[in-house]
Amino acid sequence: MKFSNAFIPTTKETPKDAVLPSHIYLIRGGFINQVASGIYNFLPLGKIVLEKIKNIIKEELDSSGCQEVQLGFITPCELWEKSGRFSKYGKELLRFKDRKENCFVLGPTHEEMMVELVKNRVTSYKQLPLNLYQIHLKFRDEARPRFGLLRGREFVMKDGYSFHADEEDMKREYQLMEDTYKKIFNRLGLNFRVVEADVGAIGGSGSKEFMVLANSGEDTIVICEQCNYAANIEAAKRKKRVPPTEAPEFSGFSKFHTPNVTTIEDLSKFFHIDPYYLLKAVAKKAIYDDKEEIVVFFLRGDDELQETKAANAVGANELVDASEEELKDAGLVPGYIGPYDLKVKYIIDIDLKDEKNLICGANEKDYHLIGCDLEKLENVIYKDIAAIKEGDLCPKCGGKLTLTKGIEVGHIFQLGTRYSEPLNALFLDENGKSKPFVMGTYGIGVSRLIAAIIEQSHDEKGCIWPRSVAPYLVDIVVSNIKDNEQMEFAKTLYDDLLNENIEVILDDRNERFGFKMKDFELIGFPFAVIVGKSLNEGSVEIVDRKTLEKIQIPKEEVLEYLLHKLNR
Ligand code: ATP
Ligand code: MG
């Protein structure tokens, strides 16, 4: 490609709402442009990177036996009603009607469509297993689209679905997909972790996410310093905590006057007792399909509630804050809530199971209970609802857990019969018995990956593309296009590189040298060859974008040098 012919509208302007490097550089580098909130065009450079990522994904999936299909982006509401997701999915699902009043949604994910495709076409165990995928558009009307391609409304996803005769075979495929995804993300040059993930209300027996480690990530992940344990904070576990101090001693279980002592901090000061021994109450409004209710979650005073775990613990779709009014209506006394004689549903964190010598609210203004023994409570539900924090201990090996941020770029999920059953997708097993398919589902955020790569690979000047996805590998920058010798040399090198199948761009624009170099740095091609004044002395300069190191190379050796550098 000749730069003078290319449509690469680089700009110095930083978009107003852009805070992350990937968002800023992808727009400034002329890779993408925003059409509307969360909707982007891909310009030629962006499209090349997108296609390269797609190809890597396709190569690895195909070699693992998956088959590519392409389903309609627009999907009939009827299917969503059958699976029960039409009402559940909420506002992210964009619904509309056609001229004949038929209801449709823009596909946010395609379980229903894929089951429908396979249903009645695959009817026997002999046709199983099957793993079908597509790399295609998705639309989710996200509440807060942001960070450019990281959280769009329209985005490109690889979504795959596998069909099996039994759990065991589905688990084999799940492992194969984990291994395949690792190969894909390694080829993309990413520093990532595979983490245990929340399986949510669907249940399912297992789920893992692929997290690109980056400070800008929206997910918090928990990593063991000692072993390979890693989990999304929404699913992370820990060993039972070690008491920070000796347990307090109380003469018995009794009510204690604690006027205006309503926070854990005040309570800890008032009794001179470590918050570990205090019961913290977090009241939330749990939203279900058909109702809402106030639920109280009890934790140690120095633990925090993990809302996803807490929502799962009560089977709610989500938890929202309850107003003071709603709490009072439910008979709660804010600041003094405790589990004894509580009138609403409550859950106690698993770390507190059967603990003694605690202090908790008395459900009466200005009073707490001391010397509480949870064993004495009846029908208590203990669940893991606390957020893991730095320094908690690994559930696997007891090592120290640390927290870090990640960008979710992939997700694999053991689905079971969650969709095949309601959609009545059946096959005949070896004994002629009709059974629903056992399924797995596997996603990759393809357009999100473009941004994730740059979040991990940039400097203050711009993008630094890994070679596997760089839009061009070499940028030949002609310092002065009016200099015939420079142009001749550059063109010959350009042709030679093309002959070697190396993607090369020739910057033959009638622009200042500094301007062209700024574009090289902003766009982030792996190498620049500067054809300038030193050509008179028989040499050119090669710049490595990653290190910005420059070396002078005799002009006869440039081709060989680049081939060597690019492992050709
Ligand atoms: P998130 O938690 O980030 O909202 P998700 O768990 O809803 O993602 P999945 O349904 O698992 O996403 O979708 C599979 C993959 O699609 C994700 O791993 C992610 O990489 C990508 N993805 C999801 N939502 C978006 C989005 N709004 N913009 C870009 N990519 C997305
Ligand atoms: Mg996910």
Side-chain angles (χ1 to χ4, degrees):
M1 174 56 69
K2 304 249 172 73
F3 221 130
S4 56
N5 300 331
F7 179 49
I8 306 175
T10 57
T11 154
K12 281 191 188 143
E13 313 303 315
T14 296
K16 272 201 294 303
D17 60 334
V19 282
L20 294 189
S22 62
H23 190 182
I24 295 169
Y25 295 145
L26 288 173
I27 295 212
R28 285 193 45 216
F31 293 85
I32 56 169
N33 87 291
Q34 184 174 349
V35 184
S37 169
I39 304 179
Y40 291 87
N41 290 328
F42 285 82
L43 280 50
L45 288 185
K47 178 73 174 151
I48 295 174
V49 176
L50 182 68
E51 289 305 313
K52 287 196 165 187
I53 295 175
K54 280 189 191 175
N55 283 337
I56 289 174
I57 293 173
K58 182 172 168 55
E59 271 175 35
E60 293 299 336
L61 289 176
D62 289 357
S63 82
S64 290
C66 309
Q67 298 172 68
E68 190 173 4
V69 293
Q70 186 170 308
L71 306 182
F73 172 44
I74 290 175
T75 67
C77 295
E78 207 189 313
L79 281 179
W80 291 81
E81 270 153 11
K82 273 198 222 162
S83 72
R85 281 211 286 188
F86 192 69
S87 52
K88 235 186 170 163
Y89 217 99
K91 288 195 169 160
E92 279 185 25
L93 199 63
L94 190 67
R95 305 146 210 247
F96 61 95
K97 287 195 172 151
D98 68 7
R99 63 166 79 194
K100 293 181 183 149
E101 291 292 301
N102 295 312
C103 171
F104 289 97
V105 307
L106 291 185
T109 173
H110 278 71
E111 280 81 5
E112 286 85 352
M113 286 281 278
M114 199 63 94
V115 170
E116 199 62 17
L117 173 70
V118 169
K119 181 180 162 179
N120 298 332
R121 290 188 180 85
V122 174
T123 52
S124 157
Y125 73 96
K126 289 180 203 149
Q127 296 162 284
L128 296 173
L130 190 64
N131 189 331
L132 301 177
Y133 74 95
Q134 60 170 346
I135 303 179
H136 202 28
L137 285 182
K138 294 279 178 271
F139 191 92
R140 295 181 181 178
D141 203 355
E142 298 269 356
R144 292 216 291 153
R146 57 198 168 139
F147 307 145
L149 296 182
L150 283 179
R151 185 165 299 281
R153 291 198 295 162
E154 182 185 89
F155 57 97
V156 180
M157 196 202 282
K158 172 264 155 175
D159 49 327
Y161 308 84
S162 68
F163 297 81
H164 308 270
D166 54 40
E167 282 272 322
E168 196 189 335
D169 192 52
M170 181 265 285
K171 288 192 172 157
R172 175 204 49 74
E173 187 76 11
Y174 180 77
Q175 183 59 50
L176 175 65
M177 285 302 108
E178 176 177 340
D179 297 341
T180 309
Y181 275 31
K182 283 183 185 161
K183 284 186 195 158
I184 292 169
F185 297 129
N186 278 326
R187 280 182 68 181
L188 294 174
L190 290 166
N191 179 13
F192 66 96
R193 278 283 195 137
V194 187
V195 308
E196 307 276 341
D198 166 44
V199 289
I202 300 177
S205 29
S207 167
K208 288 185 182 176
E209 287 164 342
F210 295 76
M211 293 284 182
V212 166
L213 303 185
N215 290 335
S216 54
E218 290 185 278
D219 284 280
T220 302
I221 55 185
V222 175
I223 293 178
C224 176
E225 283 180 358
Q226 219 163 275
C227 74
N228 63 356
Y229 180 75
N232 190 312
I233 194 150
E234 295 176 347
K237 297 190 171 59
R238 63 180 175 190
K239 264 219 159 98
K240 185 158 169 60
R241 292 184 57 190
V242 181
T245 58
E246 230 167 81
E249 280 182 32
F250 301 100
S251 49
F253 179 49
S254 61
K255 211 154 90 173
F256 207 96
H257 192 218
T258 52
N260 296 321
V261 180
T262 57
T263 64
I264 290 293
E265 203 187 336
D266 291 348
L267 200 60
S268 170
K269 278 193 197 134
F270 185 91
F271 284 107
H272 299 288
I273 284 179
D274 194 287
Y276 176 86
Y277 296 104
L278 309 177
L279 218 56
K280 178 196 274 181
V282 184
K284 291 273 173 185
K285 187 159 73 179
I287 315 282
Y288 305 88
D289 281 352
D290 48 357
K291 60 164 188 179
E292 20 181 89
E293 67 177 343
I294 300 290
V295 183
V296 180
F297 299 95
F298 291 104
L299 305 144
R300 291 192 185 277
D302 55 354
D303 274 333
E304 298 293 333
L305 188 71
Q306 211 303 314
E307 290 211 8
T308 304
K309 285 186 187 176
N312 290 342
V314 292
N317 297 339
E318 63 169 331
L319 300 178
V320 297
D321 289 337
S323 67
E324 194 108 334
E325 209 60 42
E326 286 170 315
L327 297 183
K328 284 188 180 145
D329 286 350
L332 300 176
V333 189
Y336 296 94
I337 305 173
Y340 295 88
D341 297 320
L342 192 63
K343 299 284 176 291
V344 301
K345 179 191 267 183
Y346 68 91
I347 307 277
I348 302 184
D349 183 51
I350 190 77
D351 202 68
L352 283 157
K353 189 160 184 346
D354 300 334
E355 281 295 276
K356 296 184 185 60
N357 303 317
L358 303 169
I359 298 179
C360 69
N363 294 319
E364 186 181 332
K365 190 164 165 16
D366 294 341
Y367 284 95
H368 278 85
L369 298 174
I370 60 170
C372 305
D373 178 353
L374 296 183
E375 226 175 351
K376 300 249 161 68
L377 280 168
E378 275 173 26
N379 303 325
V380 183
I381 308 172
Y382 288 104
K383 291 263 169 102
D384 175 14
I385 52 171
I388 303 304
K389 50 183 190 292
E390 204 83 30
D392 280 343
L393 302 183
C394 173
K396 261 187 158 175
C397 76
K400 276 219 167 77
L401 295 173
T402 55
L403 302 189
T404 170
K405 290 284 179 188
I407 301 169
E408 180 192 327
V409 290
H411 193 172
I412 57 175
F413 205 105
Q414 299 183 15
L415 264 187
T417 56
R418 163 69 183 85
Y419 293 92
S420 49
E421 227 165 309
L423 294 169
N424 210 24
L426 309 170
F427 70 98
L428 292 179
D429 75 2
E430 275 172 315
N431 305 315
K433 211 175 139 217
S434 183
K435 281 186 178 163
F437 296 112
V438 179
M439 291 177 60
T441 171
Y442 320 94
I444 296 181
V446 183
S447 48
R448 178 181 283 185
L449 270 169
I450 300 178
I453 290 168
I454 295 307
E455 282 306 311
Q456 240 179 26
S457 184
H458 66 267
D459 60 14
E460 69 292 344
K461 293 176 193 283
C463 307
I464 302 173
W465 290 103
R467 299 199 195 147
S468 55
V469 295
Y472 293 96
L473 290 168
V474 179
D475 179 13
I476 304 174
V477 182
V478 183
S479 175
N480 175 9
I481 60 163
K482 301 208 172 88
D483 180 322
N484 285 338
E485 200 193 340
Q486 285 184 19
M487 271 313 276
E488 279 312 307
F489 178 83
K491 278 188 191 157
T492 312
L493 179 63
Y494 176 74
D495 289 336
D496 290 345
L497 286 168
L498 285 181
N499 278 335
E500 298 286 346
N501 282 328
I502 287 174
E503 293 123 335
V504 53
I505 185 159
L506 172 62
D507 199 344
D508 56 348
R509 292 175 298 172
N510 188 11
E511 297 285 356
R512 281 178 305 106
F513 171 67
F515 178 87
K516 296 189 201 183
M517 285 310 288
K518 281 228 159 55
D519 273 357
F520 160 69
E521 288 162 351
L522 174 62
I523 294 168
F525 304 115
F527 294 100
V529 178
I530 301 172
V531 184
K533 283 199 189 104
S534 66
L535 193 66
N536 289 335
E537 287 104 56
S539 71
V540 296
E541 210 168 34
I542 294 185
V543 189
D544 182 329
R545 174 62 188 90
K546 196 164 174 185
T547 58
L548 289 176
E549 269 166 20
K550 292 180 181 170
I551 60 160
Q552 207 75 34
I553 299 273
K555 63 179 185 181
E556 304 77 26
E557 290 169 26
V558 179
L559 183 63
E560 203 183 333
Y561 178 86
L562 286 170
L563 291 176
H564 171 72
K565 275 278 178 188
L566 295 164
N567 303 325
R568 300 294 169 99

